[in-house]
Amino acid sequence: MADDPADPLAVAAAVAAASTGSYARIVATLIRVTGDWTLAEDCAQEASALALTRWPTEGVPANPGGWLMTAARNRAVDVLRRASVERRKLRELAVLTPNAAEPAAAGEGEIVDDRLRLVFTCCHPALAPEARIALTLRTVCGVPTADIARAFLATESTMTRRLTRAKARIAAAGIPYRVPTGPALAERLPGVLAVLYLLFTRGYDADGEPAFADEAIRLARLLDRLMPAQSEVAALLALFLLQHSRRAARRDGDGNLLTLDRQDRARWDHDAIAEGVAVLARVGADDGPYALQARIAACHATAASAEATDWAAIAEAYDRLARRQPSPVVELNRAVAHGFAYGPAAGLALLAGARAGGALDGYPLAVAAEAELTARQGDRERAAELFRRAAEAHSGAARRALLERAATLPPGS
């Protein structure tokens, strides 16, 4: 046992961390073996509940994720035995071990990974797009149903019913729990890439769970091995590597967020940057959305200093991205890039255009962007007011960072 069993806060934190990091793996493995989606989720949750009762007295195990896998497996065995489920499934469950390595490839070009199977199952075209995203958030990311409901502006009970219907549709339609091949693989790819992007973002956000970002990178690597000729797959992996390379430098010793210009670039993961640049080189001249975002990330990651950043290249990439994948958020980022490349007035003009029609009303990042450009233009008092307004919509580290930025722009300075 690795930790003091008498420290309840440490034990609770260990259970939370292990559950977050292992949930998708446990659920995916049990779905493959039992074919029962609900049973898999219930057993994963019950394993975490059991850890909360056992670890305070027994101590945190050396392999918390393995302990949870064993507990979930044992619970599944108990349930299946009581339900007199066919012995073949019980034999399959019996050979699972908590320290088992990731499943090996079953054949040339095939990668057998339970979590990748789970992503493809959640993204099956038989499900409505909203259901795909919600099911992935719940099953792969482990996002609480209440949080998913808020994101979709629905009640928790409504979202619970939607998730239940989606899982029932998978069972009723006989949707196979596997990574497809041939044309079906290409057809499902855009949805899967979007889900991986969502998973990474949830881990990379200011107050996100790093395990989600790590899992997104791992799955992107598997997908890249599965589809080496798909440039957008490589581009997405490159984007993840380049973005994640900065994680260790994004906070100071007190846990406060640091903007790019204040980060210690010596703390960046330069091996990840080198790998990301090498993967991006395979993309060539592809102009896909993930390729363009990866090139933007590469401009930041390879700059020797904030002052040396090639903002003109970033602005050009955003121009192309806005034509390829127009959205209010892309236009917002384009405005910021132009503001740094060609002056704050140019950025504020583009930002005003992006806000036309109210597309960015209430979006706190738009307020923060206006604050930054306004500060660069010299109106520090208004910029401080805007930073404080943006902070009202945030919590945790993001809120502290915005308030700290406002404090550096006192009135009358």
Side-chain angles (χ1 to χ4, degrees):
M1 298 298 174
D3 292 276
D4 180 2
D7 185 350
L9 291 179
V11 171
V15 172
S19 298
T20 298
S22 303
Y23 180 83
R25 179 170 64 92
I26 293 170
V27 170
T29 299
L30 292 182
I31 288 174
R32 171 174 59 82
V33 173
T34 68
D36 189 326
W37 202 296
T38 300
L39 173 64
E41 291 183 319
D42 288 347
C43 290
Q45 293 167 6
E46 290 177 24
S48 297
L50 183 62
L52 284 172
T53 64
R54 296 269 295 273
W55 292 6
T57 55
E58 298 177 1
V60 178
N63 181 1
W67 191 100
L68 291 174
M69 175 64 87
T70 298
R73 177 202 66 197
N74 290 343
R75 176 59 180 160
V77 169
D78 290 341
V79 172
L80 291 173
R81 279 179 178 151
R82 284 201 300 271
S84 299
V85 173
E86 54 194 321
R87 294 181 180 179
R88 177 182 59 80
K89 289 181 178 179
L90 289 173
R91 288 197 300 270
E92 289 176 351
L93 278 167
V95 301
L96 292 175
T97 60
N99 296 319
E102 293 295 336
E108 186 177 357
E110 180 185 0
I111 297 175
V112 179
D113 179 272
D114 289 332
R115 282 162 286 184
L116 194 59
R117 286 189 181 107
L118 186 57
V119 171
F120 272 95
T121 303
C122 290
C123 295
H124 196 279
L127 302 176
E130 184 178 276
R132 297 177 209 171
I133 296 173
L135 192 59
T136 302
L137 284 172
R138 180 69 197 99
T139 309
V140 180
C141 304
V143 179
T145 302
D147 291 348
I148 301 172
R150 280 194 293 272
F152 282 93
L153 303 179
T155 64
E156 184 174 357
S157 60
T158 296
M159 185 53 62
T160 298
R161 288 194 295 272
R162 289 179 186 173
L163 291 168
T164 300
R165 285 196 299 268
K167 289 182 281 188
R169 179 66 185 274
I170 289 173
I175 293 174
Y177 181 63
R178 63 178 176 83
V179 175
T181 57
L185 181 57
E187 176 190 359
R188 303 257 290 280
L189 182 60
V192 170
L193 294 182
V195 163
L196 294 187
Y197 185 89
L198 185 70
L199 179 58
F200 178 83
T201 300
R202 181 169 173 80
Y204 191 72
D205 279 347
D207 295 303
E209 172 52 58
F212 292 145
D214 292 334
E215 177 68 0
I217 292 172
R218 195 192 69 82
L219 291 172
R221 288 188 192 280
L222 286 174
L223 200 55
D224 187 45
R225 285 169 49 202
L226 183 67
M227 308 179 73
Q230 287 286 343
S231 60
E232 277 290 82
V233 175
L236 188 68
L237 174 58
L239 174 62
F240 290 170
L241 291 168
L242 292 166
Q243 292 284 76
H244 206 54
S245 69
R246 302 196 297 268
R247 173 165 286 281
R250 294 179 72 206
R251 295 176 185 267
D252 62 18
D254 296 322
N256 298 311
L257 283 177
L258 299 174
T259 53
L260 264 174
D261 58 309
R262 298 172 58 202
Q263 291 176 14
D264 179 0
R265 297 182 180 226
R267 296 184 62 204
W268 289 1
D269 185 343
H270 293 279
D271 289 338
I273 293 173
E275 183 184 359
V277 169
V279 173
L280 184 58
R282 290 169 32 210
V283 175
D286 183 82
D287 214 22
Y290 296 120
L292 290 170
Q293 291 180 68
R295 291 191 187 102
I296 292 167
C299 286
H300 288 298
T302 58
S305 65
E307 296 73 22
T309 303
D310 190 348
W311 280 105
I314 293 173
E316 180 186 3
Y318 271 119
D319 289 343
R320 295 162 67 187
L321 185 60
R323 291 192 296 269
R324 180 70 185 265
Q325 194 178 59
S327 76
V329 173
V330 169
E331 290 293 346
L332 169 61
N333 290 329
R334 177 172 173 251
V336 173
H338 276 257
F340 278 86
Y342 307 115
L348 286 168
L350 286 177
L351 180 57
R355 280 178 157 165
L360 293 172
D361 287 354
Y363 189 51
L365 293 182
V367 180
E370 182 184 0
E372 189 60 52
L373 292 170
T374 300
R376 287 171 56 81
Q377 198 173 39
D379 190 345
R380 296 164 63 88
E381 185 170 354
R382 172 162 171 73
E385 177 188 344
L386 288 168
F387 275 121
R388 286 191 289 269
R389 188 190 307 170
E392 293 174 359
H394 287 279
S395 61
R399 178 182 176 85
R400 293 196 302 272
L402 290 165
L403 290 175
E404 181 184 350
R405 185 73 176 93
T408 67
L409 303 166
S413 60

